[in-house]
Amino acid sequence: MHQTVLFTSLVLMMAVAAIFLFSLSRSGAGDGSKKAPKLGALRFVLFIGALVLGAAVSIGSLRPWPRAVAAGADVVSVKVTGSQWSWEIDRKTIPVGKPVTFNIATTDVSHGFAVYDAGDQLLVQSQAMPGYINRVSYTFRTAGKYRIFCMEYCGVAHHDMTDEILVVAQ
Ligand SMILES: [Cu+2]
């Protein structure tokens, strides 16, 4: 299958290159009219304009990196382990206002660890990947119950992979 895809891609790329080279050779043999240089200049301006616009839109729409992983003595470390189909969380009561770092792992397949507030707003999330410990930090500003969901389909009981943590005033 891979060989077929590779061969087809190569043939199509050669066809595109042949069309491109043919067009280039034809544009050099113009009829001598004065329109050709103007069109070339317009094309150049449009090309540069598209490049500048594309770069501006790409850079302007970049989002800042997710929150940095909190470090230090006051950080609350929480170990989270996903397994089909539940979460094991070693600390379910968390102080409000303190940075919390979730250390997220899985014993089987990939899962998606996500924390939602009472208004069903997603606050923080990270993938749980076999062989890795992913870390993500968050500081809870309001006491209350927060719900945990799995964000990645992981089997027939994926929908059951929920849990809760409690954020309490210090
Ligand atoms: Cu899941």
Side-chain angles (χ1 to χ4, degrees), residues 85 87 109-112 149-155 157-159 161:
W85 288 278
W87 295 105
V109 300
S110 288
H111 300 281
F149 289 110
C150 181
M151 297 280 277
E152 188 164 330
Y153 182 74
C154 55
H158 158 72
H159 62 280
M161 219 170 143

Side-chain angles (χ1 to χ4, degrees), residues 135-158:
R135 293 183 173 83
V136 65
S137 297
Y138 188 77
T139 303
F140 294 91
R141 300 288 175 199
T142 313
K145 269 187 188 171
Y146 291 80
R147 295 188 298 160
I148 313 293
F149 289 110
C150 181
M151 297 280 277
E152 188 164 330
Y153 182 74
C154 55
V156 289
H158 158 72

Side-chain angles (χ1 to χ4, degrees), residues 60-73:
S61 61
L62 279 179
R63 308 178 100 211
W65 287 105
R67 301 168 189 91
V69 174

Side-chain angles (χ1 to χ4, degrees), residues 3 9 20 33 43 56 71 91 109 117 124 158:
Q3 296 290 337
S9 300
F20 185 72
S33 72
R43 227 178 275 153
R91 181 174 181 163
V109 300
D117 68 9
V124 63
H158 158 72

